[in-house]
Amino acid sequence: MERRIQVRADSFKGDRPSCPRGCPERMHRHGVYERYEQPTGDEKFTVQRFLCRPCGHTVSVLPPNR
């Protein structure tokens, strides 16, 4: 079972979030995906994904204005 959450980039310090389950290892940069800026239109923004290897939890980091 994959566990996923989304956090805003201004909700943590440093270049990557910590595992929400408290695992001691740093999260691994896992990839990116794109989301639409608005419900209508073609503009998109990139969202970074991070993976906690010990527990399998993934965290998507949204820009601060989201």
Side-chain angles (χ1 to χ4, degrees):
M1 171 189 238
E2 186 177 337
R3 296 166 206 98
R4 297 176 273 186
I5 66 165
Q6 295 179 340
V7 298
R8 286 183 14 183
D10 59 356
S11 69
F12 60 90
K13 293 183 181 189
D15 65 339
R16 62 191 71 215
S18 300
C19 177
R21 302 188 91 193
C23 295
E25 291 184 26
R26 285 180 53 147
M27 294 193 79
H28 173 73
R29 190 168 278 131
H30 187 54
V32 297
Y33 65 92
E34 291 187 332
R35 290 181 60 173
Y36 286 106
E37 288 275 349
Q38 301 292 327
T40 59
D42 295 327
E43 293 184 40
K44 296 180 181 181
F45 66 94
T46 301
V47 177
Q48 286 261 321
R49 290 185 68 207
F50 293 86
L51 170 68
C52 178
R53 289 181 175 167
C55 73
H57 207 102
T58 61
V59 175
S60 296
V61 178
L62 301 172
N65 61 345
R66 294 287 161 187

